[in-house]
Structures are given as structure tokens and as C-alpha cells.
Amino acid sequence: MAGLLDGKRLLITGVLTESSIAFHVARIAMEQGAHVVLTGYGRLSLVERIARRLPAPAPVIELDVTDSSHLESLPARVSENVSGLDGVVHSIGFAPASCLGDSFLEAPWEDVSTAVEVSAYSLMSLTRAVLPLMSSPASVVGMTFDARQAWPAYNWMGVAKAGLESVTRYLARELGPRNIRVNLVAAGPVHTMAARSIPGAEGMEHQWAARSPLGWKADDAEPVGRSVCALLSDWLPATTGSTVWADGGFHAVGM
């Protein structure tokens, strides 16, 4: 029986540890028949070690989304491993420490601009870089944390995620004529390296578990990974410019 992603060629960014959402996306995608290429930044040997824990070998390509030379050479480096791309997963985000925490007013523009470039603008720059490799139809999926409201301590990362959600809509408009869909998955809090950098994240997890209609386990990224893979598949051909919530239903309820 063919898998949901049988034969799909995917570029997945953001794998750092086994707790990374991107790791679970890659694992589930492989289990569903996809060929996966990973990107890593900085600690490439760590990404390569984690990649060996996936169901099948996955090549790892270095990618700094703020480095134009990395982006320009990306198509050639991806082409060494797959003949084209049917899907791209953007699971990249970063904000300097000044952008998170108690005070929204104190972060300098240099830090804010870094958060916006890495966490929002990079969805466009990554997509633009690999566009020559993308098939038709194809799917681009990014990760967000519901940016419709202000969250404690999330501060400028929340602003960057709001920008990411807007970039998604504009990319969807731009790439729709090429039959390339662009969507986001808004996950509930998950135990990742990124989450550990957010002050008070543990308290938010308890609230999420208590209030979500379906419940929520912050140590289980499987539901989020499945949602991403569903968007990468051919089963949502008319969905683009959208945010799909994989948060146990927390976004839908009041106090």
C-alpha cells in the first residue's frame, strides 16, 4: 500500500535534536514514502548524528538563511541528492534574548531585525532559492505559533510570527499560478530547544493541557508532524495561504 507521501522529494529545515518538530516531520514523511533532504546550521555534525536516527539515510546540507551565498548555491547542492522538490518545510526561527522575556520596550532594532529576518523573511528567501527545483503541484509548509494575540514573554518573536503569517499569504498569492501551495501549521507548545529559550514556557504548557478540548502533551510532537505531512501531501489541493492549527483546539476556546 502506497504511503501518503510516496515518492515525494522533500527539503526539511530545522532538525537539531530528536525533540525538533522538523525531526518528527522527517520521520513521518519517510514512513509515508518520501525522500528527504535535511538542512542544518552551525552544529552540522549534531544534525548529521540526529539524521542517522531517522528510518532511512538523509543527506544534510548546510544552510544559513541569512547568507546569500548559501541560498544561491542551495539548488545545486539539493540537486546532488534529489532531481527536484515536491515540498519544502520551513521550521526556522530565532530571536536574540533581548526580544524575549519581561520587557517588550527594550529590544534594540538590531536584535528585532535579526528575529524578523530569520523567522519571517526567510520563508520567502528559502522558497525563492529553491523555486527552480519545485514541481507542479508542490507544497511549502512553515511553522508558527498563533500570532493573532500577544503571549507572555513571546514579545518580538510574536511580531516575527505575525510577519511570517503575512508572508505566507503573499507567497500563496504569488505562487498559486504555479500550483504551489503555501501554508502554516500553528502548533501548541512542544518541548524543543527553541521553546526552552522562552521564559515561562512551562507554565504555558500546563495551561494548554488544562484548556485544550482534545488535551495536549508538550512532549509529543507526533500530531504536529502529521499535520505538516498532510499539507505536504496531495490531499489538500485547494488549501493555500492558510494556517492549520495543531494545538488540541486551544485556539478555539475562551477562558
Side-chain angles (χ1 to χ4, degrees):
M1 182 176 178
L4 187 68
L5 298 173
D6 201 41
K8 296 287 189 188
R9 301 155 299 174
L10 307 177
L11 180 68
I12 299 178
T13 67
V15 173
L16 183 58
T17 70
E18 276 187 278
S19 67
S20 301
I21 291 173
F23 175 86
H24 291 274
V25 173
R27 176 181 58 78
I28 295 166
M30 284 183 170
E31 290 169 353
Q32 293 298 318
H35 306 289
V36 171
V37 178
L38 305 177
T39 76
Y41 170 62
R43 291 175 283 183
L44 215 59
S45 60
L46 174 59
V47 180
E48 290 168 344
R49 186 165 72 248
I50 296 301
R52 289 196 286 271
R53 300 176 187 175
L54 290 168
V60 178
I61 295 172
E62 185 176 19
L63 177 63
D64 176 357
V65 289
T66 68
D67 187 325
S68 59
S69 66
H70 280 208
L71 291 166
E72 289 166 7
S73 65
L74 187 59
R77 292 183 290 139
V78 171
S79 295
E80 293 174 2
N81 299 283
V82 288
S83 59
L85 289 173
D86 303 293
V88 176
V89 176
H90 178 280
S91 187
I92 298 171
F94 171 76
S98 67
C99 294
L100 301 161
D102 294 330
S103 178
F104 181 75
L105 303 177
E106 301 302 322
W109 168 243
E110 311 88 74
D111 289 352
V112 172
S113 64
T114 296
V116 172
E117 180 180 12
V118 176
S119 307
Y121 181 83
S122 66
L123 177 62
M124 186 283 296
S125 57
L126 172 63
T127 303
R128 181 177 61 188
V130 298
L131 202 53
L133 299 180
M134 298 196 73
S135 62
S136 177
S139 177
V140 177
V141 184
M143 300 302 309
T144 191
F145 188 76
D146 188 1
R148 299 173 304 167
Q149 50 217 334
W151 297 96
Y154 208 45
N155 292 4
W156 286 101
M157 181 56 96
V159 174
K161 290 297 187 182
L164 176 70
E165 293 178 10
S166 186
V167 170
T168 297
R169 291 187 287 271
Y170 280 95
L171 274 176
R173 184 193 68 179
E174 191 80 11
L175 300 181
R178 301 185 185 215
N179 204 12
I180 298 173
R181 295 170 286 118
V182 187
N183 295 288
L184 294 175
V185 170
V190 177
H191 288 163
T192 63
M193 291 285 287
R196 293 192 193 106
S197 67
I198 303 170
E202 187 174 336
M204 187 179 293
E205 292 170 8
H206 294 319
Q207 289 274 343
W208 221 276
R211 289 179 51 198
S212 298
L214 293 175
W216 186 253
K217 296 179 180 179
D219 60 353
D220 182 12
E222 176 97 7
V224 181
R226 289 191 181 193
S227 298
V228 173
C229 287
L231 285 168
L232 289 168
S233 79
D234 295 328
W235 279 91
L236 293 111
T239 301
T240 195
S242 297
T243 297
V244 174
W245 278 271
D247 67 348
F250 183 94
H251 74 280
V253 298
M255 288 299 292

